[in-house]
Amino acid sequence: MEQEEAQQRLLPENDDEGGSIPTDSWNGVYIIFCILGLGSLLPWNFFITAKEYYLFKLRNLTLSVDDIDNPQLQTEMQTMFEGSVAAASMLPNLLFNFFTAGFTQKLPIKGRMVVSCLTILIMFVFTLSLVNINTNSWQMPFYVATLVTVVILSAGSAVFTASMFGLAGIFPPRYMQAAVSGQAVGGLFAAVANLLTLLAGSTPLHSAFAYFMAATVVSLLTLICYILLYCIDYSKFHLDLDVTIQEDGFAESSTDSISQRASSVFHVLRKIWPEGLAVFLTFTVSLSCFPAISSSIISQHKDGSGWTGKYFTVIVCFLLFNLGDCVGRVVGGFLQRPKISQPLLLVIMSFVRVAFIPLLMLCDAQPRTHLPVVFTSDVYPVVFISLLGLTNGYLCTLCMMYGPKKVLLKDAEFAGASMSVCTTVGLALGSLISLLLVKML
């Protein structure tokens, strides 16, 4: 059985060598997958980066604009905003990831990709339209509308991301690496944009307009790039091959019993569980530390200059993590250790990263009442956060590349979507753990 599955994977991996199989000229399809990865995360990254904008919109109107960041003077809506956004995004994200993975063979991938991308685009056009509207007289409706937008946006993003990973699973592994690298570029782009707006001294409204305009443009570009996949010979070959395999599989499964179809699902999950567990552990550890703990770390020279005060968190926490994450995902494309034949080593490496949690908690994260500060120098958070991002990107790339590669072509889309579910569950659990860890400081 193992030999049979390996033989059925040969065609898409050796496609550049076969005379009758198209080639990826100018790496056009690879670039498109990078853009799809960028489009799956960059809009959401810009949404959560616009924190100052929402604090401004929900501010106490009797106070000056300079006081919107003062925790002692915040309104109830300002205080609840971040937690409300996290809650409003987590549940639909989890549900729609499971939904997408469960219905990969029932709902056509083209419909899922186009509808979800259009949903994201419409939500950002709506969000953009509210930026320059005076909402002072209807703050509560604005707050509710924002949370509804978050729910719809999260659902659309979950369907798009899971479908994108399923789509990448149909292609050779380097295209999965392209997708995850594009996601990392999205995080890095958002971190750089945040730093630039701080340096420029932009107002919350101007920054938010730039963020949401960029998110809208990227969402539109993502939709266009996905459509282009059906116009390029190389991608058309793989998409048509997948349709043929799925149709044959559907014809066979129509006579199968429910138990036989369930057996096929469990067979795939049995094949990819080490990679699924490893990517789950990777993101659970990363989200336990980042950004809740890492963004709370202050510089030992916090009163020395703007770079160790105002810009310290933006650079050391967000920029370094996203830069390390991006580098790790690129390196994972050509340096694949452990190998696909060493799944348990991949799980162990992912588990060992738990060490980052106490290391970052013992840095000077404030406020704290229980734990001592062991690592006082700024060098420690710089090194720890850079390595956290680097290992996150590297291990996540290996897991996402290996999973769909271990199953039959007809199951590759389901395997890719299932890996996306593992990622999402890890993100959700890590976020919950971070709330506990902050209380333990």
Side-chain angles (χ1 to χ4, degrees):
M1 186 63 182
E2 297 285 346
Q3 184 177 5
E4 176 188 350
E5 294 187 8
Q7 290 174 345
Q8 293 198 43
R9 293 295 311 188
L10 285 177
L11 180 60
E13 292 184 37
N14 295 337
D15 48 322
D16 290 339
E17 300 174 4
S20 61
I21 300 175
T23 58
D24 187 7
S25 302
W26 303 98
N27 287 314
V29 176
Y30 183 89
I31 293 172
I32 286 178
F33 270 99
C34 286
I35 295 174
L36 292 180
L38 179 73
S40 70
L41 276 192
L42 181 64
W44 180 250
N45 280 328
F46 273 146
F47 189 94
I48 61 177
T49 300
K51 175 184 174 181
E52 294 296 321
Y53 161 73
Y54 287 105
L55 290 179
F56 174 79
K57 285 281 192 177
L58 302 173
R59 71 192 185 282
N60 186 332
L61 300 175
T62 63
L63 301 175
S64 67
V65 176
D66 295 333
D67 292 324
I68 63 173
D69 287 330
N70 189 337
Q72 307 300 325
L73 302 175
Q74 287 187 350
T75 65
E76 185 178 359
M77 285 186 289
Q78 284 178 310
T79 304
M80 295 175 56
F81 181 75
E82 281 193 290
S84 299
V85 168
S89 63
M90 187 179 298
L91 185 58
N93 200 9
L94 284 170
L95 289 178
F96 279 85
N97 259 281
F98 279 106
F99 171 82
T100 305
F103 287 88
T104 51
Q105 294 184 342
K106 300 293 184 180
L107 300 176
I109 191 169
K110 184 184 293 186
R112 283 183 274 125
M113 292 287 286
V114 172
V115 171
S116 60
C117 200
L118 281 174
T119 300
I120 295 170
L121 178 60
I122 292 170
M123 287 299 100
F124 274 109
V125 170
F126 172 72
T127 303
L128 180 65
S129 68
L130 293 178
V131 173
N132 290 318
I133 296 177
N134 189 332
T135 58
N136 291 346
S137 61
W138 45 286
Q139 286 184 329
M140 179 55 77
F142 172 79
Y143 180 80
V144 173
T146 299
L147 293 183
V148 172
T149 300
V150 168
V151 170
I152 299 174
L153 185 62
S154 297
S157 181
V159 173
F160 179 82
T161 303
S163 299
M164 177 195 69
F165 283 129
L167 178 69
I170 298 169
F171 288 74
R174 70 187 295 257
Y175 295 91
M176 181 67 81
Q177 183 266 333
V180 295
S181 295
Q183 287 189 317
V185 171
L188 183 60
F189 192 1
V192 171
N194 191 15
L195 177 60
L196 292 178
T197 54
L198 280 177
L199 290 171
S202 301
T203 66
L205 291 180
H206 288 156
S207 298
F209 188 84
Y211 292 152
F212 296 143
M213 176 59 76
T216 303
V217 172
V218 168
S219 299
L220 180 60
L221 178 62
T222 302
L223 177 60
I224 294 172
C225 285
Y226 173 71
I227 294 173
L228 284 177
L229 285 178
Y230 292 86
C231 304
I232 301 174
D233 289 341
Y234 179 80
S235 50
K236 282 171 60 181
F237 170 81
H238 285 277
L239 292 168
D240 290 343
L241 180 64
D242 179 65
V243 169
T244 302
I245 292 173
Q246 295 296 343
E247 287 178 347
D248 290 343
F250 180 79
E252 293 175 3
S253 65
S254 62
T255 59
D256 291 343
S257 65
I258 295 177
S259 61
Q260 287 175 313
R261 290 196 292 271
S263 176
S264 176
V265 169
F266 283 116
H267 174 73
V268 173
L269 296 179
R270 185 173 62 84
K271 286 287 186 183
I272 67 172
W273 77 261
E275 289 75 20
L277 177 60
V279 79
F280 163 77
L281 290 172
T282 296
F283 281 102
T284 298
V285 171
S286 295
L287 266 291
S288 297
C289 305
F290 175 88
I293 296 176
S294 55
S295 64
S296 301
I297 298 173
I298 61 175
S299 170
Q300 67 178 127
H301 308 293
K302 58 182 179 298
D303 299 323
S305 68
W307 291 106
T308 55
K310 181 178 180 181
Y311 304 109
F312 183 80
T313 299
V314 175
I315 295 174
V316 174
C317 174
F318 294 100
L319 187 59
L320 285 185
F321 177 87
N322 284 291
L323 181 60
D325 186 41
C326 189
V327 172
R329 297 188 190 215
V330 172
V331 172
F334 59 85
L335 179 63
Q336 293 162 19
R337 296 290 187 277
K339 299 178 181 179
I340 191 172
S341 59
Q342 301 171 304
L344 293 182
L345 182 57
L346 192 63
V347 174
I348 292 171
M349 290 178 64
S350 300
F351 180 77
V352 168
R353 294 178 72 250
V354 171
F356 282 116
I357 296 176
L359 289 176
L360 286 167
M361 291 180 71
L362 293 175
C363 290
D364 194 5
Q366 297 294 337
R368 64 197 300 128
T369 55
H370 304 291
L371 297 178
V373 176
V374 176
F375 305 112
T376 55
S377 172
D378 291 347
V379 174
Y380 292 108
V382 167
V383 173
F384 295 157
I385 293 173
S386 297
L387 289 177
L388 180 72
L390 184 68
T391 54
N392 180 82
Y394 183 72
L395 292 174
C396 140
T397 299
L398 294 187
C399 294
M400 298 303 292
M401 289 173 63
Y402 289 167
K405 190 178 179 181
K406 295 176 70 174
V407 301
L408 298 172
L409 282 176
K410 68 183 181 66
D411 298 319
E413 185 186 346
F414 173 69
S418 297
M419 293 296 293
S420 178
V421 170
C422 294
T423 298
T424 303
V425 174
L427 291 170
L429 181 59
S431 298
L432 293 176
I433 292 174
S434 70
L435 300 177
L436 175 63
L437 295 179
V438 169
K439 297 292 185 182
M440 294 171 59
L441 288 175

